[in-house]
Amino acid sequence: MKIINRLYSGYAALLILMLALSLFGQFKISIADANLTQLSEQTAVEQRQAINFRGSVHDRAISLRDAVLVNNTQQSQVHLADVARLNDFYQQAAVILDQMYQAVKHSPDEIQLLNDIKSIERTTLALTDRLITKINQGQYQEANRFLLSDISPAYTAWLRSINKLIDYQEELIQQQVSNAKLETNSFQGVML
């Protein structure tokens, strides 16, 4: 071959190699970007709503306990107003979470975890209404017994079910971060 043909062939080979490397890099970066986008726009936001659930339920249980322990209808109303405020906060998070679950397909396990939370929520709110009725009627001794026998275990179960969803989402977050790292690390190896 003439020297000029060798130069052209060498440059062509380098250009093809650079083009292939660039395309491969774009492919790997798009996979990492998709993982990180899902993490920031979906999974982390869902986990935040579940954490809001937990905060609301936990603080509601405390306010209900305080409403019973003050043994005074007027002071109980302050705590019951807090219960209502915390329920509103919970419902706002529930609307966001429901919309996210409708917009994006979720695993059957994740759907079951959310359904478990909703089931326990319905049961616990019905019990809570009964407790509030007892408080409003000034039946504090009966309310205290009901708080210990029914309300406390129900709120504990509700918190447990929320924590399962949070833990599940944490595993998803770790998996998405690991996948993004894997893609970027494999690209670094090819670049070297």
Side-chain angles (χ1 to χ4, degrees):
M1 285 179 82
K2 293 183 181 178
I3 292 179
I4 193 78
N5 288 340
R6 288 183 195 170
L7 285 173
Y8 283 144
S9 297
Y11 281 120
L14 284 175
L15 285 174
I16 290 171
L17 186 61
M18 287 176 61
L19 180 63
L21 188 58
S22 295
L23 291 174
F24 181 73
Q26 287 295 324
F27 173 71
K28 289 294 191 175
I29 288 172
S30 70
I31 293 172
D33 181 58
N35 280 326
L36 294 175
T37 299
Q38 183 179 3
L39 171 65
S40 67
E41 294 178 3
Q42 185 73 31
T43 312
V45 176
E46 289 176 2
Q47 187 182 46
R48 168 53 31 209
Q49 303 317 308
I51 290 169
N52 289 346
F53 279 3
R54 180 172 57 195
S56 171
V57 170
H58 177 267
D59 292 352
R60 235 184 300 183
I62 292 170
S63 291
L64 284 169
R65 180 204 62 204
D66 292 347
V68 171
L69 293 178
V70 293
N71 211 10
N72 176 303
T73 305
Q74 190 176 23
Q75 291 177 343
S76 291
Q77 295 309 310
V78 173
H79 297 292
L80 293 180
D82 198 36
V83 169
R85 180 188 61 78
L86 289 163
N87 183 54
D88 290 343
F89 179 69
Y90 184 98
Q91 297 310 320
Q92 291 169 4
V95 167
I96 294 169
L97 200 56
D98 284 341
Q99 289 171 347
M100 295 182 86
Y101 270 63
Q102 290 173 2
V104 176
K105 185 177 180 189
H106 287 74
S107 72
D109 289 340
E110 206 168 358
I111 292 169
Q112 184 60 50
L113 288 169
L114 184 60
N115 287 337
D116 290 347
I117 290 170
K118 289 179 179 186
S119 175
I120 293 171
E121 175 191 4
R122 282 189 297 275
T123 303
T124 305
L125 290 181
L127 292 170
T128 300
D129 288 343
R130 287 177 50 198
L131 178 68
I132 290 172
T133 300
K134 291 177 190 313
I135 293 169
N136 288 334
Q137 293 174 350
Q139 301 171 354
Y140 288 100
Q141 287 183 346
E142 191 174 327
N144 192 15
R145 283 191 294 276
F146 189 64
L147 178 73
L148 294 173
S149 67
D150 294 72
I151 297 293
S152 180
Y155 274 82
T156 300
W158 194 2
L159 284 169
R160 192 178 313 117
S161 68
I162 292 169
N163 284 333
K164 286 180 184 178
L165 179 61
I166 292 170
D167 292 344
Y168 184 89
Q169 290 167 332
E170 183 62 30
E171 288 178 23
L172 286 179
I173 288 170
Q174 294 304 320
Q175 184 180 33
Q176 289 164 345
V177 168
S178 294
N179 289 344
K181 283 181 179 179
L182 184 66
E183 295 300 331
T184 57
N185 288 343
S186 69
F187 178 61
Q188 283 178 328
V190 170
M191 286 287 287
L192 288 174

